[in-house]
Amino acid sequence: MGIVATIMNTATGQPIQKMSFGRMPKPWASFNLETGELVTAERIDVGKPAPGKFAAPVHVWVTVKPKG
């Protein structure tokens, strides 16, 4: 069972995309976004599951280089 995480922008606090990982990513893991940009995970937050649910929300925080 893989992990579905929301990729978050550290500068704006806004979600960028959802991404599936085979296992829990490490804080130094590098991966490509849908845009093709290579980013490194800075922080990983695991929340509490909703009542009656098993899956906990996972947020991976990355810094995206500004366009331009």
Side-chain angles (χ1 to χ4, degrees), residues 17-45:
Q17 70 181 49
K18 292 254 187 207
M19 185 173 245
S20 179
F21 294 93
R23 60 187 179 102
M24 185 63 79
K26 302 289 183 190
W28 56 84
S30 294
F31 51 89
N32 289 322
L33 298 176
E34 291 174 346
T35 60
E37 183 177 355
L38 180 65
V39 294
T40 302
E42 295 181 9
R43 186 176 87 213
I44 299 174
D45 295 335

Side-chain angles (χ1 to χ4, degrees), residues 2-3 11 18 22 31-32 40 48 50-51 53-54 56 65 68:
I3 304 290
K18 292 254 187 207
F31 51 89
N32 289 322
T40 302
K48 290 187 176 183
K53 300 289 182 180
F54 174 74
K65 293 180 182 150

